[in-house]
Each structure stands twice: as C-alpha cells, then as structure tokens.
Amino acid sequence: MRRHRRQHPEQLALKAHELRIGPRYPRLGTAAFRAARWVARKTMGKIGFNELDSDFARGRLAHVRSKLARGETVYLVGIGLPGTHNSGVALVEVTQTHGPRLIVNNEEERFSGNKHTTEYPAQSIDAMVATLRAMGRDIDDIDAWLTSWDYFALAGLLARCVFEEMPQSLSLLSVADATAFDRRRLDQMRRSPRILAKQLGLPRPQQLICMPHHGNHAWFSYAASPFADDGEPVAVAVLDGTGDTGSISLYAAGNGEMRQLYCNDSMFDSLGMFYSVVSSTQGGWTWLSSEGRYMGASAWGDMNRASNPYYSRLKHVLHLGDGGEISLNRAMANWYYDPSINPYKLPLIDILGEPLKPEQLWNPDAVLRVEDIKHRPDTKDRLDKAAATQLVLEDAMIHVVDHLLRITGAHRLVLTGGVALNAVGNMRLLEHFDEAWFEKNQGRKARLHLWVPPVPGDPGVAIGAAWQFAHCAGSPRGEAMTHAFYCGTPPKEADIAAALAADDVASQAIGDVSTRQGRDAIADLMAFMVAQSGVIAIFQGAAETGPRALGHRSILANPCDPGVRERLNERVKYREAIRPLAP
C-alpha cells in the first residue's frame, strides 16, 4: 500500500498544476496487477513456469536441502530468457560447507555480438553444458533451472501500468522496443520450456522456477560483497530501470540473512527510466546504449548546481518524498504512457526542448560533438543538459541512500541494479556520506563503505537467481568474490587457429605464453608497439562478465599520445568523440 507523500519544501514553490505524484487510478492498477498475476498462474503454470511458492518449487527446495544435508554437491542454473535484455545463463555449484560458487556466467551477447541482446540464449546454454560435461557432470546433475524474472509478477506489473492511467496508458500496448522489453521475443519466452527441452534432448518441457528480479540483484550482490558477517548491518539498495514488482527496492542484510524493507511498486517512479529516457531523447542513442554515454557527456557540461542553467528547473521532474521515496512528476513527463514518441509534457519541453524521435537516434555527433563545443551554442546547451540530468540523478541517489542508512544504522552499502552502473553517481555517494554525515546522523566515527558488484545490471541476475534459490534451500552465504569476474567461456585453441587462418588476417607466431621466455618475448614486443603509439588488442582466457575490460578482452594504447583518443575512436572502436577512454 502506498503511503501518503508529503511534499518536499522545494516542491512547494511549484504551482499545484505543475506537480502530480502517483498514478491517476491506483486502485484500478492494483486490481489489474492481481488479476493479471492470477491469469499468469493459470496459463504459464501449465507450460513449465513455476512460482517460488508452488508445489514444484517446494519439492525442488526440499530435494536440494536434502542433498546439501548429506554433504552432496548441488548444481543450479540461472537463466535469462528472451524478451528482456541481457539474456544468458549462469552455472552455480553449491555445497553445505562453502555455499554457492560461480562456475560460469555466459552472456549471449558474447557469442552473438548483439549488445544487450533479447534473443534466446542458445549459444550460452550450449557453452554452459560443455563446461558442465568437462567437469565430469551432465544435465542430469542440474537440480533446478531458475529464471531471472518472476514472470507472474511481471505480468501483473505490466497490467498495472496499463490500467492505472487509463485511457492514455493504452498506448503502451503498441510500444514495441521503447523499453528494455522486446515484444517480438515475448512469445519465444513463453515457449522457452519446450525450446530448452528440445535443445537439451529432453522428452518433456523443462520446468523453470521464477525468481524475484530484485531479490536476484540483491542476493548475489550482497553475498559476493567483501562485507563480513560480524554483527554490523549491511544496507542493500536496488536502483533499477524496473524489476517485476517495482523499480526501487531496499534491504537490510547481515549474518547471512536479508530482509526486504521497501519496494516502490512502480515501473515509472524509476531512476533508471528517468535517466534512460532523457539520455536517449537528448543524447541521440537508444535505451541501454544512452545511459553510460550521457554520463560521460555530463563531464563536458556545467556540473555546478548553482550555475547550471537547467538544473534548478529540471530537478522538479523527480519528487523527493518522505521515507526516501522517489516519484515521477507526471505533470512534466509523459513516459508513463508514451516513453518513445512523446515522452515530454510542455513544462519539460520548455526546459529541455523537443525530444529526439526514434528515427533521429544513433547520430549523437550531430548534437554532442565535443570538438564543436566552442563553436556551436547548441552543443554547449546539450552538454549542460546532460550535466543537469546527472545532477538530478545524484540528488535522488543521495535521497534514497540517506534514508536507508538512517533506518538500518549501517555504514556499509551494497548498491546494485542498472543505476549502480553510474560510476559518477557512486562517487558522489562516497563524497556525501563522509565522517561529518555519520557523526551528525549516527553519532559515530565512520564513513560510507560502498560495494558495487562487477555485474550490477541484468547480466548478473541469472547468477542471483541461483544464489537466492540456494539461500532458500538453507545454503550458507558463500565466500566473497575475490577474482576479476572472468566467468565466461574461454576460446578453444582450434577457434583461435581458425581465426588466424582467415584470408584477411596476416599472422606470425612470436612466442608460447605457457613458457617464461615466450611471455617475455611477447611482453617486450607489446611494450615496444605501445611506446611507438601502436594499438594492441588482447584476446585471452575466459570472457569477462559484465561491462568491463579486465585484460582478457582489452585494447592497449599509449595514453601519453594526445592523438590516441581520436585514432582509437575513428579506426578501432568506431565510437563517438564524446566517449572517454580509460588510459
């Protein structure tokens, strides 16, 4: 149930018609949620999908609990199905002694080359099965298959979105690819139990257990964190585009346990959606590609709240309420019913200008070409808008975390969900919650200790599904992650040889890296090439998990060369000039 939202003092300056918080018909939305969830139970339950409290899931939990008690090893598979972005599969080994251990996390995009893909993860599954068999195990040893979304709750949430703002929100039914959901593949998601069974050579549909999306984010991120179970509480914040019941969820964790404190029950009162919509319609990229780029663009704008020409008005698009609540000001924004074509209302158009249309995207240099920053006033304006958007996001992140640290009494924070990929915002949290804040608000000498997992976004929820299920079966928390998340599939030697034998590749053997002499020879050559402003691409070992370049799939170049950024972006990365590089 929604609590009454008291207006923030800064919002009192707005006229009444300029502030509308919450949906128009919340009771109708709640009824639609319940009805759609009931229908999903009746239909999806017959084709291989099972809720966590279903008879099938309880049976699997009892089976896993029994195996762990006997000292046996359990294998769980988390799977990101088609229809939602970042499909893939994770294999997790669980023992009663050590808890869960991540063996492999295959993202389908690593095989297909399609970023944030929504396609069925066929290649990821094949590679996972190959890894399992290389360990002397087989698919019969998998004790449970777990989805990264609770599709029953997700059906309810989507129905809530349509009914709570009738009749305008009916337009959501015709939105194809404006959000992270791909309607073209949702039918494939429904058929996944049969598709998976066919792929694995099984006679009947593979039974899947649906795990809560934000619980998946939270459990893995907490369990993998370096924070010890020493009696001190750990705060966990999931800040997301959306989950299957809401977009902001808060937890308190400690001693291997975690309890949910809050979920906002809304897809649109969302920090992730706010940033996605504005970064796309102002920056010139599509969703899931716009957010990180726009964060980079903000560095070129005015990041001073007192002098930025857009911040003081743009901040009113988000209402900061009591209890750390964040609400979309629906008097300014349309994206609760039209996130793609007409996401702004007139007050927001007055601040930011007309939004870019879908057909105008993927031409960001037309609006954000930093080389023209001193020559084109419109470029400077757009960069200042990027900075204002970043500042508004940081305000909201601080508002949520402030409340969470107060109610938990924690100084350790696990931050996860897609918004946690905003590295600049994360740094602002560390700066804001300093010794002075803790002295004033908790009466002790401390400062914020922040953990963001390498996969806070949806590439990590397949892992989290297995971790959360293991916890439900009584597994201990497991050990903190200490490696650099090389959890993908490594290339076969034959694959590398075939690539080098291609007609358009010239290759020469330099040394064998399995020997010290070979490593030294290659290292010397690489150092010489970089010093001469050459560019080297590294391809080695297992693929990284998450949006990181950790040395297995990386590019080396000379950071002392002032022309290296342009050369890399134009000839190698094919990226916009606005985007930074990590020297």
Side-chain angles (χ1 to χ4, degrees), residues 104-251:
V104 70
N105 186 46
N106 289 335
E107 299 177 50
E108 189 67 14
E109 72 166 42
R110 302 286 182 175
F111 299 90
S112 68
N114 300 323
K115 285 286 188 180
H116 306 294
T117 185
T118 62
E119 60 199 304
Y120 176 79
Q123 297 179 81
S124 298
I125 294 169
D126 284 342
M128 181 275 295
V129 172
T131 299
L132 189 65
R133 288 172 176 164
M135 298 165 54
R137 303 282 184 165
D138 212 328
I139 57 174
D140 293 339
D141 294 300
I142 297 173
D143 295 285
W145 289 78
L146 312 150
T147 69
S148 58
W149 291 80
D150 179 348
Y151 289 103
F152 304 93
L154 182 60
L157 181 67
L158 297 176
R160 183 201 297 274
C161 293
V162 172
F163 281 86
E164 68 184 5
E165 288 283 356
M166 294 275 281
Q168 290 175 311
S169 51
L170 289 173
S171 62
L172 290 171
L173 297 174
S174 62
V175 173
D177 298 314
T179 69
F181 301 104
D182 186 340
R183 291 193 310 143
R184 299 167 300 174
R185 297 195 186 275
L186 289 179
D187 180 64
Q188 192 179 31
M189 178 274 291
R190 288 189 289 269
R191 295 185 289 111
S192 288
R194 290 186 178 276
I195 298 172
L196 178 59
K198 183 177 180 181
Q199 183 178 1
L200 299 176
L202 302 176
R204 290 180 297 277
Q206 177 62 54
Q207 296 295 309
L208 305 175
I209 300 173
C210 298
M211 303 299 293
H213 188 74
H214 277 189
N216 297 337
H217 273 302
W219 254 111
F220 172 66
S221 301
Y222 161 61
S225 77
F227 299 143
D229 289 325
D230 54 8
E232 277 277 326
V234 176
V236 182
V238 182
L239 307 181
D240 212 359
T242 188
D244 37 43
T245 55
S247 53
I248 297 175
S249 295
L250 306 178
Y251 302 81

Side-chain angles (χ1 to χ4, degrees), residues 5 7 10-11 14-23 165 268-270 274 313-320 326-336 343-348 351:
R5 295 179 172 91
Q7 291 186 12
E10 290 181 347
Q11 296 283 3
L14 290 173
K15 297 178 182 178
H17 71 275
E18 292 178 319
L19 177 63
R20 181 164 82 81
I21 301 304
E165 288 283 356
F268 298 111
D269 297 327
S270 162
F274 156 72
R313 291 184 295 160
L314 182 63
K315 68 181 180 180
H316 296 301
V317 77
L318 294 180
H319 174 74
L320 311 184
I326 303 293
S327 302
L328 175 68
N329 182 359
R330 301 183 184 216
M332 296 178 68
N334 278 344
W335 55 77
Y336 58 90
Y344 302 177
K345 288 185 177 175
L346 287 177
L348 193 53
I351 299 169

